[in-house]
Amino acid sequence: MWLFLAFLMVPLIEIALFIQVGGLIGLWPTLAIVVLTAIAGTMLVRSQGAQALMRLRSSLETLNDPTEPLAHGAMILFSGALLLTPGFFTDALGFALLVPAVRALVLRELRKRIRVQSVAPRAPFRDHGHAEDVIDGTYTVEEDLRRPPGPSGWTQR
């Protein structure tokens, strides 16, 4: 039900804001603001996304819990989608999610509702030296009689 209300209310809010702002400053300045916020938002999302990716990499390299950098990265990605959506309300939400303190607040509220039972790193590779992994077999090498052997005695292809 909440998702339905969001899909219903957000466009209505955007239309109302477009009418209000367009009535105050005119059509072309309103459209210019929408385009400029999309451009500025894209640049901010790119720089903050790169920083979030570096924090995620660092967390994974030190085998720390990666949930916080992942959550910040997801919120930055979501803010980028909001900033690319034309409108003043979505731009305000998108710019708000680019503020680290706002993301920390959202993450704190999400942690109250979500409970992670365990986080454990996985082994980076599997040991293939066990006897149960070995398959015995025989093979024969057949020469390709259509081509003459090369200088090393092997058939060239």
Side-chain angles (χ1 to χ4, degrees):
M1 190 65 177
W2 288 105
L3 192 58
F4 172 73
L5 286 175
F7 277 112
L8 180 67
M9 293 306 295
V10 170
L12 292 177
I13 292 170
E14 292 293 4
I15 291 169
L17 287 172
F18 271 124
I19 291 170
Q20 292 294 319
V21 172
L24 288 174
I25 64 173
L27 173 67
W28 294 112
T30 302
L31 294 177
I33 289 172
V34 169
V35 171
L36 290 175
T37 57
I39 292 169
T42 302
M43 291 188 301
L44 286 170
V45 165
R46 178 180 285 179
S47 68
Q48 287 201 12
Q51 291 172 4
L53 187 59
M54 286 189 313
R55 285 191 297 271
L56 177 62
R57 253 189 217 142
S58 171
S59 175
L60 291 173
E61 286 173 359
T62 58
L63 296 177
N64 290 332
D65 182 14
T67 55
E68 188 168 332
L70 278 171
H72 279 276
M75 285 187 271
I76 290 169
L77 183 66
F78 186 63
S79 74
L82 289 172
L83 288 167
L84 288 175
T85 303
F88 295 107
F89 181 66
T90 53
D91 285 348
L93 290 177
F95 280 121
L97 279 176
L98 288 179
V99 176
V102 173
R103 288 196 311 264
L105 176 69
V106 170
L107 186 57
R108 194 168 37 248
E109 291 300 316
L110 284 174
R111 281 185 176 155
K112 291 178 184 177
R113 292 171 170 75
I114 298 172
R115 182 167 181 252
V116 177
Q117 292 183 342
S118 68
V119 175
R122 299 185 78 188
F125 59 88
R126 200 173 139 207
D127 183 17
H128 292 288
H130 298 299
E132 62 266 10
D133 291 342
V134 176
I135 300 173
D136 274 334
T138 59
Y139 66 94
T140 58
V141 177
E142 296 180 12
E143 289 187 39
D144 188 359
L145 299 176
R146 293 175 291 179
R147 295 179 185 226
S152 64
W154 291 93
T155 304
Q156 295 178 347
R157 292 194 173 185

